[in-house]
Amino acid sequence: MKRMNILVSSSRQWNPGDEFIRKGVERLLQNILGTDQNWLLWNRNPDLFIDRWIDRRMRTDFLTNSMRDPSLDVVDLVVFAGTPEWFGQPVERIYRCLLTHPDVPVLVLGAGSGTDMPQLAPYEVEVLDRSNVFITTRSPDLAECLNAQLSTPKAIPLPCPAFYSADESQGWVMRHRVGVIVQSSGAPNQSIGEELVQGLITELRKAEGRIELDIISLYIDEHMRFSRLGLKHPCMYSYEPDHFLAQFSKYSTIISTRLHGAIAGLSAGVPSILLAEENNFRLRSTQKPFNDFLPIHSVREAFGLAAETSAEQCRQKAMDLRSFRTNAFNDLKGRVKAFIADFMPEESA
């Protein structure tokens, strides 16, 4: 039997959030289709752009083990796995190729946006308007924006697929320990304000001897900075996203400045608190589909809650969270399964 070729647009060794989203998408599709597929990567790591932030078209002379050409003549399904780069220059060649391959179905799962809502190019509208395209967004605002540009509204706001990235079989850890996912002001395109960084460092120092916690860095730059601060808390880092997902399941609470760090924590069944600057539209709009399971607090409030909440209270929150995750996953699974049955009947048989 022919193995299915799935072209997924994501990034490797750049943004761990992208990798959490991709893992959630893979878990979803493998739950529907089984595990006998070939996963082909369209790698949106900015190191593969012609000129990073200026000319974000993909180079064709790179040597990493990912696709240099969309090659839709052998691709059975195209998947844009979330993040704001599901349209625009980094994926323009996929859209252009889809114009000449109208029978290839497309899943846009967990589409995101930056501060500004996207204005789609005519060739993007032509592709996304097709009946064999399924779209979910991670914010109601983006769904409304896209539906206003399409002839037939189809974008549905649902929790980001990173919510399904972790192994659901992990049990509850009775030990009350907090994971604090930190960030810095120095990582290009991935920074937060130094005022928030300093507030975080202050609370980490105050927590010494009061809260049992680990400092978690998703970027090597952040790990280097926080490792050199002389804090008594252990510092955790890995280049491999699976290591983070396994680590997250060991905590009773996660505090995170990173949106997809918090969502990956939720995927591990751990109650998570998001730290966000007041004007961070991206974080606040993505938080909405999670109802009350992804609260946003100030640094001081978050550390106060972590200190005051008991292990038993965390356990009860985790049970409610896991029920919400199961229901959300089954909802998305049902929608995607129906789409595949309509447009890929040979795969759903």
Side-chain angles (χ1 to χ4, degrees):
M1 180 182 292
K2 175 182 176 291
R3 286 177 67 94
M4 183 180 180
N5 289 322
I6 301 176
L7 176 62
V8 59
S9 171
S10 184
S11 71
R12 278 293 270 165
Q13 288 302 293
W14 161 238
N15 186 343
D18 289 355
E19 307 210 36
F20 294 143
I21 296 170
R22 189 192 70 251
K23 285 185 173 295
V25 166
E26 289 176 0
R27 190 178 296 278
L28 170 73
L29 290 178
Q30 288 176 347
N31 196 279
I32 296 171
L33 300 168
T35 57
D36 292 332
Q37 307 91 32
N38 301 319
W39 290 86
L40 289 60
L41 177 65
W42 187 263
N43 189 355
R44 293 181 283 91
N45 186 320
D47 281 343
L48 304 182
F49 295 168
I50 291 175
D51 190 0
R52 287 192 185 169
W53 321 123
I54 298 172
D55 188 342
R56 298 166 64 242
R57 291 175 298 168
M58 300 290 293
R59 291 165 42 204
T60 57
D61 61 345
F62 56 79
L63 298 178
T64 60
N65 189 19
S66 52
M67 297 290 284
R68 300 176 183 84
D69 184 275
S71 303
L72 297 190
D73 58 314
V74 300
V75 167
D76 301 293
L77 175 66
V78 170
V79 180
F80 294 98
T83 82
E85 288 79 32
W86 57 272
F87 71 102
Q89 283 188 327
V91 291
E92 179 176 349
R93 288 172 57 212
I94 299 180
Y95 279 94
R96 297 288 188 189
C97 200
L98 281 166
L99 293 175
T100 59
H101 292 80
D103 294 332
V104 177
V106 177
L107 294 173
V108 182
L109 297 175
S113 68
T115 303
D116 298 325
M117 290 287 105
Q119 180 62 49
L120 298 176
Y123 66 87
E124 292 167 337
V125 172
E126 182 176 344
V127 170
L128 297 177
D129 252 339
R130 293 175 182 165
S131 61
N132 63 347
V133 176
F134 178 86
I135 305 173
T136 72
T137 70
R138 62 193 198 202
S139 82
D141 307 271
L142 180 56
E144 183 178 345
C145 170
L146 295 184
N147 287 333
Q149 297 178 61
L150 300 176
S151 60
T152 303
K154 64 174 68 178
I156 309 165
L158 294 173
C160 177
F163 193 29
Y164 316 117
S165 55
D167 183 354
E168 295 183 10
S169 65
Q170 295 285 352
W172 173 253
V173 178
M174 292 306 296
R175 183 182 179 188
H176 188 31
R177 188 174 185 86
V178 178
V180 181
I181 301 174
V182 299
Q183 210 166 342
S184 77
S185 58
N189 199 243
Q190 297 292 327
S191 63
I192 59 173
E194 184 61 23
E195 183 178 352
L196 181 54
V197 177
Q198 289 301 321
L200 193 56
I201 293 172
T202 296
E203 291 302 321
L204 286 169
R205 293 193 190 283
K206 288 166 58 177
E208 292 179 347
R210 190 168 63 98
I211 305 174
E212 190 176 2
L213 64 82
D214 293 339
I215 298 171
I216 305 167
S217 302
L218 302 192
Y219 274 68
I220 188 64
D221 312 63
E222 298 159 358
H223 180 61
M224 294 298 112
R225 177 173 181 180
F226 280 84
S227 294
R228 290 169 174 148
L229 291 176
L231 298 169
K232 296 179 181 178
H233 312 294
C235 292
M236 183 265 171
Y237 167 78
S238 176
Y239 64 85
E240 175 52 61
D242 280 341
H243 296 169
F244 286 114
L245 293 171
Q247 183 71 22
F248 292 165
S249 66
K250 299 177 182 178
Y251 300 116
S252 55
T253 301
I254 286 176
I255 298 172
S256 178
T257 63
R258 286 197 174 277
L259 172 64
H260 285 95
I263 295 176
L266 294 179
S267 81
V270 180
S272 300
I273 299 171
L274 191 59
L275 307 178
E277 293 158 311
E278 194 63 37
N279 59 351
N280 196 320
F281 171 80
R282 171 178 165 269
L283 268 65
R284 293 178 180 276
S285 61
T286 303
Q287 174 222 20
K288 293 178 183 178
F290 288 95
N291 298 333
D292 296 327
F293 289 102
L294 188 55
I296 297 178
H297 289 294
S298 69
V299 179
R300 182 178 296 179
E301 289 171 340
F303 276 76
L305 283 171
E308 296 165 6
T309 305
S310 68
E312 182 55 36
Q313 288 172 318
C314 291
R315 182 175 182 275
Q316 184 58 55
K317 288 181 181 179
M319 291 173 61
D320 295 339
L321 167 62
R322 293 179 188 205
S323 176
F324 175 77
R325 181 186 61 186
T326 298
N327 292 335
F329 181 83
N330 288 337
D331 177 31
L332 178 57
K333 177 184 173 181
R335 295 173 187 269
V336 175
K337 189 173 183 178
F339 173 84
I340 290 174
D342 286 341
F343 298 103
M344 305 179 71
E346 68 282 1
E347 301 297 337
S348 62

